[in-house]
């Protein structure tokens, strides 16, 4: 861990984390409102459009699983800065690569950049904010949905002026601003450096062997899958029902605005719920209800469906991260564990928009997908009720026992 003679400003650092997080979804969220133009200009089908979401999310998952190696190679502060710059360059490249192949290549780049930020940010936040970590993660999650909201809500209007490829490229500007502020604000922050290595004889816990790890992974995957599905396919779903392009984008924007406000509420009030099970179950019920409304009354109650999904996902997404962090006390181990959970969860979630695209190609309708997500949301309640604070302590203790045992083995 780096030693700093000066301390970073917590307020400036929190603002930088928020601005960085805003840039973690526009490369994906801006695609949905522009699907008709993209398909018309490039000739790709809905399954390939689904890949434009699947590829970044899948890479987020793979990168998160290898967070220890990423941290060792780049360090937390430097890795986050590099990630934001890669996002900026990937967005900018879309201006000169307005083709199906170009979109896929830049989707890979965006996925790599997002992966670096998301893998390293939880551990960095816990290291610098301690007992306020849950609030910072809530703020960070709020920034993610704010970025998605702005990208979805403005895409149609901006594309009328500068084209769909210019709209996608425009998101390079806020990413560059965020990278600059990050460099300034995090200069004196506490950050694990690239040169650190585990102490001799100490082996990191094996998360793969824990049933709780797999449980949290599936839980995060379903919640994130719902988020990614909404971003990728809500606008095309409404376009198929005769809704104008600007209004279809507006519906997604409403959903993400509600998500952002809800996530901000989570950041402000989650400390009053040390037992997270109540909010988790509530979020799953509301999410399921939102998908039911979307399935049964998609046009008549469109804004009701968007509000319900926004509230449900807006609670579920940040809480999925917070609950994982709650399980571990040590900042480095918490970062590794959270990234492991997010990694597997993102890999699972990445196939949801791809599945939706394949369904759209084969059935010319996405309604069945909403029904599947309703069932999945309700099924997750079975897992949520098991996440008690006492279970966190038992899990953390089991990790300490494993690490101690590994160290003892090494001294024989």
């Amino acid at each position: 861990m780096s030693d700093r003679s000066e301390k970073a400003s917590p307020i400036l650092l929190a603002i930088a984390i928020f601005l960085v997080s805003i840039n973690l979804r526009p490369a994906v969220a801006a695609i949905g409102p522009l699907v008709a133009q993209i398909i018309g200009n490039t000739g790709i089908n809905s399954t390939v459009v689904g890949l434009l979401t699947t590829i970044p999310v899948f890479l987020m998952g793979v990168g998160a699983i290898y967070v220890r190696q990423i941290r060792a190679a780049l360090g937390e502060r430097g890795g986050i800065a590099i990630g934001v710059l890669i996002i900026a360059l990937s967005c900018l490249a879309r201006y000169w690569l307005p083709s199906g192949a170009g979109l896929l290549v830049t989707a890979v780049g965006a996925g790599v950049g997002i992966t670096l930020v998301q893998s390293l940010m939880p551990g960095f936040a816990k290291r610098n904010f301690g007992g306020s970590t849950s609030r910072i993660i809530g703020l960070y999650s709020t920034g993610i949905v704010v970025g998605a909201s702005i990208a979805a809500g403005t895409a149609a209007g901006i594309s009328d002026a500068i084209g769909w490829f210019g709209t996608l490229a425009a998101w390079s500007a806020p990413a560059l601003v965020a990278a600059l502020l990050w460099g300034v604000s995090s200069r004196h922050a506490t950050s694990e450096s690239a040169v650190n290595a585990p102490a001799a004889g100490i082996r990191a816990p094996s998360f793969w062997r824990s049933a709780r790890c797999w449980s949290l992974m599936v839980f995060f995957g379903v919640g994130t899958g719902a988020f990614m599905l909404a971003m990728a396919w809500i606008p095309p779903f409404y376009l198929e029902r005769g809704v104008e392009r600007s209004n279809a984008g507006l519906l997604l924007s409403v959903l993400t605005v509600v998500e952002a406000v809800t996530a901000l509420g989570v950041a402000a009030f989650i400390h009053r719920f040390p037992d997270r099970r109540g909010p988790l179950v509530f979020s799953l019920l509301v999410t399921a209800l939102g998908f039911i409304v979307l399935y049964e009354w998609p046009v008549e109650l469109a804004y009701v469906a968007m509000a319900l999904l926004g509230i449900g996902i807006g609670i579920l997404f940040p809480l999925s991260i917070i609950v994982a962090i709650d399980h571990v006390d040590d900042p480095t181990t918490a970062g590794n564990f959270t990234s492991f959970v997010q990694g597997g969860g993102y890999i699972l979630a990445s196939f949801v928009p791809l599945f939706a695209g394949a369904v759209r190609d084969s059935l010319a309708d996405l309604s069945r997908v909403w029904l599947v997500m309703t069932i999945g949301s309700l099924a997750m309640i079975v897992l949520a009720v098991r996440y008690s604070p006492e279970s966190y302590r038992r899990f953390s203790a089991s990790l300490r026992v494993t690490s101690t045992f590994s160290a003892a083995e090494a001294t024989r």
Side-chain angles (χ1 to χ4, degrees):
M1 189 180 296
S2 57
D3 295 324
R4 306 286 181 184
S5 58
E6 300 179 53
K7 287 188 176 181
S9 164
I11 295 177
L12 188 60
L13 194 57
I15 293 172
I17 289 173
F18 180 75
L19 290 180
V20 166
S21 67
I22 283 176
N23 292 280
L24 299 184
R25 291 299 179 270
V28 175
I31 297 289
L34 305 175
V35 162
Q37 292 171 280
I38 292 172
I39 290 177
N41 290 165
T42 64
I44 62 177
N45 61 20
S46 296
T47 302
V48 177
V49 170
L51 278 174
L52 298 179
T53 299
T54 292
I55 288 173
V57 180
F58 184 84
L59 289 174
M60 292 177 210
V62 173
I65 289 174
Y66 290 98
V67 63
R68 297 171 191 167
Q69 292 86 341
I70 292 172
R71 185 185 292 112
L74 303 175
E76 288 174 341
R77 176 176 177 264
I80 292 170
I82 292 170
V84 180
L85 288 173
I86 292 174
I87 293 170
L89 292 174
S90 298
C91 291
L92 186 61
R94 285 179 161 173
Y95 187 83
W96 288 281
L97 299 172
S99 64
L103 287 172
L104 290 173
V105 169
T106 54
V108 172
V112 171
I114 296 166
T115 291
L116 293 178
V117 176
Q118 291 189 166
S119 298
L120 299 172
M121 190 64 82
F124 179 89
K126 186 142 191 164
R127 203 179 306 281
N128 283 275
F129 292 93
S132 300
T133 300
S134 61
R135 294 184 181 182
I136 294 300
I137 293 298
L139 182 67
Y140 165 75
S141 302
T142 300
I144 290 177
V145 292
V146 165
S149 173
I150 295 172
T154 61
I158 295 175
S159 69
D160 289 338
I162 61 176
W164 64 266
F165 46 90
T167 303
L168 298 178
W171 278 97
S172 60
L176 289 172
V177 172
L180 178 62
L181 182 59
W182 175 260
V184 173
S185 66
S186 65
R187 184 172 49 179
H188 299 297
T190 304
S191 171
E192 185 158 316
S193 66
V195 297
N196 277 5
I202 300 298
R203 188 174 68 203
S206 178
F207 301 133
W208 293 98
R209 300 178 182 178
S210 169
R212 175 53 62 93
C213 293
W214 287 95
S215 168
L216 288 165
M217 185 188 296
V218 171
F219 192 87
F220 183 80
V222 171
T224 304
F227 182 41
M228 296 299 178
L229 177 66
M231 283 200 301
W233 290 113
I234 287 289
F237 175 71
Y238 278 102
L239 288 172
E240 292 170 353
R241 278 154 178 74
V243 176
E244 293 183 2
R245 186 163 57 92
S246 59
N247 289 335
L250 178 61
L251 283 169
L252 179 57
S253 187
V254 168
L255 187 155
T256 50
V257 165
V258 174
E259 279 185 48
V261 173
T262 304
L264 193 59
V266 171
F269 298 108
I270 192 57
H271 64 286
R272 299 186 181 181
F273 297 91
D275 188 338
R276 321 292 196 194
R277 289 176 293 179
L280 280 176
V281 172
F282 174 77
S283 69
L284 289 166
L285 289 172
V286 174
T287 301
L289 182 58
F291 280 120
I292 289 173
V293 174
L294 196 58
Y295 178 75
E296 291 287 350
W297 308 281
V299 177
E300 300 90 336
L301 298 179
Y303 286 99
V304 173
M306 297 303 103
L308 289 170
L309 289 173
I311 292 170
I313 299 172
I315 298 173
L316 184 59
F317 181 69
L319 265 187
S320 297
I321 303 174
I322 291 169
V323 167
I325 290 177
D326 285 343
H327 277 73
V328 185
D329 296 326
D330 175 69
T332 298
T333 305
N336 292 340
F337 177 65
T338 304
S339 291
F340 175 85
V341 169
Q342 286 184 290
Y346 277 123
I347 289 173
L348 293 174
S350 70
F351 292 100
V352 175
L354 181 62
F355 165 73
V359 169
R360 186 173 185 255
D361 278 335
S362 60
L363 301 179
D365 185 35
L366 287 165
S367 297
R368 302 285 179 86
V369 178
W370 312 140
L371 193 57
V372 170
M373 291 306 298
T374 299
I375 296 170
S377 299
L378 293 174
M380 288 304 100
I381 294 176
V382 177
L383 297 180
V385 296
R386 298 172 61 87
Y387 300 151
S388 66
E390 179 58 32
S391 73
Y392 307 160
R393 289 186 283 272
R394 290 196 301 269
F395 177 80
S396 186
S398 73
L399 290 184
R400 287 193 294 271
V401 168
T402 300
S403 297
T404 303
F405 179 73
S406 299
E409 280 185 321
T411 60
R412 289 177 182 172

